[in-house]
Amino acid sequence: VPWSGYINGFPIHVDISYLGGFLGPRWLSTEQLNMVMHLIHLELVKKGCNDVKIIKETTMFHQKLLEAYHAQRTSIDALDTYTNANHYRWIRDSCQALQTGQYEQLAFLVNLNDNHWVSVVINGHTDTIFYGDSLGSDVDPTLRDALRWWTHLHTGRDFVFEELPITRQTDGHSCGLMACNAIEAWVLHKPAIYIDPDCALEERLRMFVRIVQRHFEEVR
């Protein structure tokens, strides 16, 4: 692995120094988790699973969703803006794809309070929002209300929340790792890959190797 430059094989340009975050007990950043989510997307493509959409731009997606939710509560024109504005098209199209059946599931990460990652998988077939928190906490109330508003707006149906299976973290920095692992195990139907909480470091190293392998596949 070179000492400088960018990591190849991913939709965003990430400096190669970000690989270091996978080699020790550190909180994983948006950039690092975006790469992990892209790897999950590639696994789905490889297996021909076309009914799941992985949101790879983690923080931007839920921030835009919350922005739209708060706006419609405070302005009578906000709903019209959400319906027509280009800057909301991304999240509109994502939920509309669930409504039309283009995708059965939509999976993404949410960063709560800029210090904790949780998993969300929305199933448009069963009208269920699966929520995984490695600390075992209940759904964040604002996020809960925003997701209910958003799914009902596009589908006209009331979605219910259920717990997404996820490994409980035993430290203060593995939430992102657990959140990605929960999504990967769920959408790929591979319960055997759930992380042992005592093996979080090994999972970090596995992610490091997968990212490096992807990098060199694109370099060749």
Side-chain angles (χ1 to χ4, degrees), residues 54-69:
I54 298 291
I55 301 297
K56 301 181 285 292
E57 299 83 355
T58 53
T59 303
M60 291 174 57
F61 186 82
H62 88 266
Q63 286 179 344
K64 188 61 69 175
L65 173 57
L66 291 176
E67 177 188 308
Y69 169 68

Side-chain angles (χ1 to χ4, degrees), residues 5-8 10-19 29-32 34-35 215:
Y6 293 105
I7 303 170
N8 293 294
F10 296 89
I12 57 173
H13 287 291
V14 178
D15 191 89
I16 208 155
S17 63
Y18 277 86
L19 286 173
S29 69
T30 296
E31 293 82 2
Q32 290 159 335
N34 283 348
M35 291 189 290
H215 169 78

Side-chain angles (χ1 to χ4, degrees), residues 11 43 47 50-51 72-73 76 85 98 100 124 141 147 202 206 208:
E43 280 295 308
K47 295 180 181 300
N50 301 317
D51 60 345
Q72 61 85 31
R73 295 184 64 198
I76 59 174
L98 286 178
T100 61
L147 289 171
E202 287 88 341
R206 186 174 76 90
F208 172 84

Side-chain angles (χ1 to χ4, degrees), residues 14-181:
V14 178
D15 191 89
I16 208 155
S17 63
Y18 277 86
L19 286 173
F22 293 96
L23 299 178
R26 302 174 187 173
W27 191 82
L28 295 176
S29 69
T30 296
E31 293 82 2
Q32 290 159 335
L33 295 179
N34 283 348
M35 291 189 290
V36 178
M37 293 293 280
H38 187 66
L39 291 176
I40 299 173
H41 163 73
L42 293 176
E43 280 295 308
L44 287 167
V45 171
K46 181 179 177 181
K47 295 180 181 300
C49 300
N50 301 317
D51 60 345
V52 181
K53 180 176 177 63
I54 298 291
I55 301 297
K56 301 181 285 292
E57 299 83 355
T58 53
T59 303
M60 291 174 57
F61 186 82
H62 88 266
Q63 286 179 344
K64 188 61 69 175
L65 173 57
L66 291 176
E67 177 188 308
Y69 169 68
H70 288 303
Q72 61 85 31
R73 295 184 64 198
T74 58
S75 170
I76 59 174
D77 299 322
L79 185 57
D80 183 64
T81 300
Y82 172 76
T83 304
N84 298 290
N86 283 334
H87 60 274
Y88 288 129
R89 182 175 180 178
W90 179 29
I91 59 172
R92 284 199 312 268
D93 289 351
S94 295
C95 201
Q96 195 65 22
L98 286 178
Q99 194 276 330
T100 61
Q102 179 182 355
Y103 296 108
E104 183 177 307
Q105 297 185 92
L106 177 69
F108 55 97
L109 302 178
V110 173
N111 187 342
L112 298 177
N113 303 314
D114 293 326
N115 62 14
H116 184 56
W117 294 101
V118 298
S119 316
V120 174
V121 179
I122 304 177
N123 190 309
H125 181 69
T126 63
D127 297 347
T128 306
I129 301 171
F130 294 94
Y131 180 86
D133 186 334
S134 57
L135 292 177
S137 301
D138 292 335
V139 184
D140 175 80
T142 302
L143 178 63
R144 177 198 61 209
D145 293 345
L147 289 171
R148 282 177 171 166
W149 164 79
W150 186 54
T151 50
H152 186 273
L153 176 67
H154 284 276
T155 68
R157 304 190 299 271
D158 294 323
F159 280 58
V160 298
F161 277 84
E162 290 190 15
E163 184 177 356
L164 181 72
I166 189 170
T167 301
R168 294 289 185 264
Q169 66 184 95
T170 57
D171 54 45
H173 49 260
S174 291
C175 54
L177 195 70
M178 305 305 186
C180 288
N181 174 252

Side-chain angles (χ1 to χ4, degrees), residues 206-218:
R206 186 174 76 90
M207 285 300 170
F208 172 84
V209 170
R210 289 175 66 184
I211 292 170
V212 171
Q213 287 175 336
R214 175 66 180 167
H215 169 78
F216 282 114
E217 285 172 3
E218 293 299 303

